[in-house]
Amino acid sequence: MVKPEIKKKRFIAVAGNMGAGKTELVGFLCKWYGLKPFFEPNDGNPYLEDFYRDMKSFAFKSQIYFLTHKFRLHRELENEPGTVVQDRTIYEDAEIFARNLHRQGAIDDRDWQTYHELYTVASRALAPPDLMIYLRAPVKTLRKRIIGRGRAMEQDIPTPYLKRLNQLYEDWFSRYDLSPVITLASDKLDYITDLVDRLEILGQIEKYL
């Protein structure tokens, strides 16, 4: 199978819940097309471990960290000369994770207003993706993958939390209009070993590249 060359600069974003398969897809696309990946800055967040231990005390601080660093990352990828792929966007930080924490009461109304105003200003200053790929998977699949990858701080994430995130993703994509969207059922596709699935996914993506 001939790998096509992407001649124009493109920004591809991969979105989805924890365990949906974003990192795997980003790695596959970068290897297949020779692209540069931009990954979520989880490892550098000094609040993350505390957040999983005590969400109410560290939710706002953790989300501000993610928003700041995701904004910086987005600006960096805008300046790249070639096509790039991003694992989770700045939009998800606000529309899914921060919004969920506000609804749960972990971020109070005053902090949420401050956060959302900052997000609105930041997002309007950024160029949107040329293509958004949404990976959809049931909670049962997400739980299995999260347990399988063995990150200690994720092991105690409650199932209702993942369910709420899944619903927020569905709500967000029902009104997302910044770019074309490809929705993939990541629990039913095996593009790594199954040639038919691989051709199907690449065929959809290449319509926009």
Side-chain angles (χ1 to χ4, degrees), residues 182-201:
I182 295 175
T183 300
L184 302 176
S186 69
D187 60 317
K188 298 178 180 178
L189 295 171
D190 180 11
Y191 52 87
I192 301 296
T193 62
D194 190 305
L195 180 59
V196 174
D197 284 354
R198 187 184 309 164
L199 290 172
E200 179 182 344
I201 290 176

Side-chain angles (χ1 to χ4, degrees), residues 74 158 179 200:
H74 197 121
S179 62
E200 179 182 344

Side-chain angles (χ1 to χ4, degrees), residues 71-128:
F71 179 83
R72 179 187 301 166
L73 194 68
H74 197 121
R75 294 304 296 266
E76 288 178 7
L77 66 83
E78 285 180 347
N79 293 324
E80 283 293 318
T83 295
V84 297
V85 186
Q86 185 179 25
D87 178 348
R88 185 168 285 153
T89 63
I90 190 173
Y91 313 108
E92 292 165 83
D93 283 4
E95 301 290 352
I96 311 300
F97 293 91
R99 187 178 296 276
N100 177 65
L101 290 166
H102 175 237
R103 288 184 178 182
Q104 284 184 265
I107 296 178
D108 64 29
D109 290 343
R110 182 175 59 178
D111 285 345
W112 169 250
Q113 183 177 355
T114 299
Y115 175 91
H116 200 266
E117 287 179 358
L118 179 59
Y119 161 68
T120 300
V121 172
S123 61
R124 287 176 180 173
L126 299 172

